[in-house]
Amino acid sequence: MTIDTCTDHAQGNHSDRPDPVLTPLTRGQAARLISLGLSTAARLGLDVAHEGGAALVPVEPSASSPVLGLSNLARIIARYDEDRWPALVEEHFVQLQERLREGPPLPPTDPQRDLIQRLVPRDALPTEWTSGRPDFLPGVLSVPSTTEDGVVTMYLDPTDFGLTWSEAERHGLTNLRRITDHVEYLTQDDLRIAAVTGSPYAASRALVLDTVLRESLHTETPSYGVLAALPSRDLLLIHVIDDLSVIPALGLMLNLTARSHSHDPGPLSPDVHLVTRTTGTPWTWHPATAPSPDHTPLRLSSQLQSLTQLLATREPPP
C-alpha cells in the first residue's frame, strides 16, 4: 500500500477553504476523504496512490487495479456527518470491487429493447471516443446506454452489436420516452418550478422534453416555451413560461441549478436554458443568460430579452 503525502490536500494549509477539485468539500475534508480512500483501498487489497486530482490511481501502471474516482463520492459524503464517512467510503469501494470482479458487462442482447439514451459530460469521456459526436448542449452529449441493478453502462461504439450510431440513438430515445418521472413542484410566492427526478435518467429526459411536458407535467407545447436546466444526472428543472414571472423564475432556477451542479453527484450543465419550438419543428435550446463583459451579474440572453419584450406587450393594464 503506497500513500502519497506530498499533496496540497495533506499539507493542512487553509483547510477551511473550498477544495478546488473535490467540491463541495473543504480542503481539510478533501484530505480526510483521500486518507479514508487510501486506507479503505488497502484493506481491500488495492495498491493505489493519490497523485493529485480527483482519483486514486494504481501504483504500478500495468497493475490490474482500477482508477478509483473520488468526485462523485465527495458529493455523496458531503451530505452526511463526518463520523459516517468511513462506512460510506467502505460501502462505495466494496460495491465497486464487486462490479469489477464480475467483469465488464456484455453488450445488450436486444439493443432495440435495452438501449436508453443518456446525457453525459464530454470531458468525462476520452476525446478519441467522442470525436465527431455533436453536443446536445455545450459540453454535454447524448450516448446510448443500458442499466442493470443500478449500474449504467455506456456504449460509444454501437457497431460492437451491429448498429450504426443513428440506429442506436433511435432505439435509445424510444426507450427513454418510456421512463416514468417523479415530479415535485417547488413553489416560491407565485412561482412554480417542476423538479423531475426518480431515475438516473432524469436529466436525460431533456432529450424527450415533449414527452415530459405531455405525460409528466400534463401540458401541451407551451406558447412561449420553457426554462429548463439539467444541473446533474438525477435532476431536470422546468418552468413553463406564461408571463413576465419568467424573470423571477429565472433567478430561482439559477440558484437551484448552481447548488445542484456544485453539490450533487453526476454534474452535467451549470446553465439555465430557454427552450422553444413552433409546430412541426424540433425544440430549440438557447442560453437564458449571457455573461457581462465587465463581470457584472449575468444579463438576459438576446433570445430571452426578445421574449420578455413580447410578454410585456401582452400584460394586462394595471
Side-chain angles (χ1 to χ4, degrees), residues 177-178 181 205 208-217:
R177 291 184 185 279
R178 295 179 176 139
D181 297 319
R205 293 272 286 174
V208 290
L209 184 60
D210 56 336
T211 298
V212 175
L213 291 172
R214 184 177 62 254
E215 297 183 0
S216 299
L217 274 60

Side-chain angles (χ1 to χ4, degrees), residues 104-111 115 129 144 146 153-168:
L106 296 174
T109 56
D110 187 351
L115 291 179
W129 292 2
T146 59
T153 303
M154 292 177 290
Y155 297 94
L156 301 176
D157 187 3
T159 59
D160 288 345
F161 40 85
L163 294 180
T164 65
W165 187 276
S166 60
E167 289 170 336

Side-chain angles (χ1 to χ4, degrees), residues 132-153:
R133 301 266 68 84
D135 282 351
F136 171 67
L137 293 174
V140 178
L141 70 160
S142 163
V143 299
S145 72
T146 59
T147 180
E148 183 176 0
D149 297 329
V151 179
V152 175
T153 303

Side-chain angles (χ1 to χ4, degrees), residues 2 14 17-18 25 31 35 60 73 100 115 129 133 138 151 164-165 175 180 184 198 209-210 268 285 291 306 316-317:
T2 303
H14 310 296
R17 292 184 179 179
L25 303 181
S35 177
E60 297 295 334
L73 182 56
L100 292 169
L115 291 179
W129 292 2
R133 301 266 68 84
V151 179
T164 65
W165 187 276
N175 293 323
T180 300
E184 296 180 2
L209 184 60
D210 56 336
L268 280 177
W285 291 68
S306 296

Side-chain angles (χ1 to χ4, degrees), residues 30-286:
R32 183 167 187 231
L33 171 58
I34 291 166
S35 177
L36 284 171
L38 290 168
S39 59
T40 301
R43 288 197 302 274
L44 296 175
L46 301 172
D47 195 11
V48 295
H50 182 248
E51 298 179 355
L56 306 180
V57 299
V59 172
E60 297 295 334
S62 60
S64 58
S65 297
V67 173
L68 304 176
L70 299 175
S71 294
N72 282 336
L73 182 56
R75 291 165 179 260
I76 292 169
I77 66 170
R79 304 173 180 179
Y80 298 91
D81 293 336
E82 290 194 31
D83 59 359
R84 293 192 58 186
W85 287 14
L88 292 168
V89 173
E90 178 95 17
E91 179 183 4
H92 181 82
F93 281 8
V94 166
Q95 290 177 350
L96 177 62
Q97 192 175 48
E98 289 174 353
R99 293 170 186 171
L100 292 169
R101 287 197 187 105
E102 295 172 357
L106 296 174
T109 56
D110 187 351
Q112 185 171 350
R113 180 197 64 191
D114 297 335
L115 291 179
I116 306 174
Q117 210 65 11
R118 180 177 176 84
L119 291 173
V120 61
R122 182 178 288 275
D123 61 11
L125 301 170
T127 303
E128 62 272 17
W129 292 2
T130 59
S131 60
R133 301 266 68 84
D135 282 351
F136 171 67
L137 293 174
V140 178
L141 70 160
S142 163
V143 299
S145 72
T146 59
T147 180
E148 183 176 0
D149 297 329
V151 179
V152 175
T153 303
M154 292 177 290
Y155 297 94
L156 301 176
D157 187 3
T159 59
D160 288 345
F161 40 85
L163 294 180
T164 65
W165 187 276
S166 60
E167 289 170 336
E169 184 176 45
R170 185 173 67 253
H171 296 324
L173 289 173
T174 297
N175 293 323
L176 182 65
R177 291 184 185 279
R178 295 179 176 139
I179 290 177
T180 300
D181 297 319
H182 174 74
V183 181
E184 296 180 2
Y185 287 96
L186 311 175
T187 59
Q188 179 176 299
D189 299 326
D190 293 329
L191 303 179
R192 196 176 192 223
I193 310 294
V196 177
T197 61
S199 86
Y201 290 90
S204 300
R205 293 272 286 174
L207 292 164
V208 290
L209 184 60
D210 56 336
T211 298
V212 175
L213 291 172
R214 184 177 62 254
E215 297 183 0
S216 299
L217 274 60
H218 309 294
T219 183
E220 295 300 324
T221 302
S223 300
Y224 304 114
V226 302
L227 294 179
L230 35 149
S232 59
R233 66 192 179 200
D234 300 337
L235 177 63
L236 172 62
L237 296 169
I238 299 172
H239 169 71
V240 176
I241 301 171
D242 293 315
D243 51 36
L244 284 175
S245 65
V246 64
I247 297 177
L250 173 62
L252 177 57
M253 286 190 65
L254 285 169
N255 287 333
L256 294 169
T257 299
R259 178 171 180 79
S260 176
H261 189 263
S262 298
H263 291 76
D264 293 344
L268 280 177
S269 172
D271 302 317
V272 177
H273 298 83
L274 169 65
V275 194
T276 59
R277 74 180 300 188
T278 55
T279 304
T281 64
W283 289 96
T284 302
W285 291 68
H286 309 279

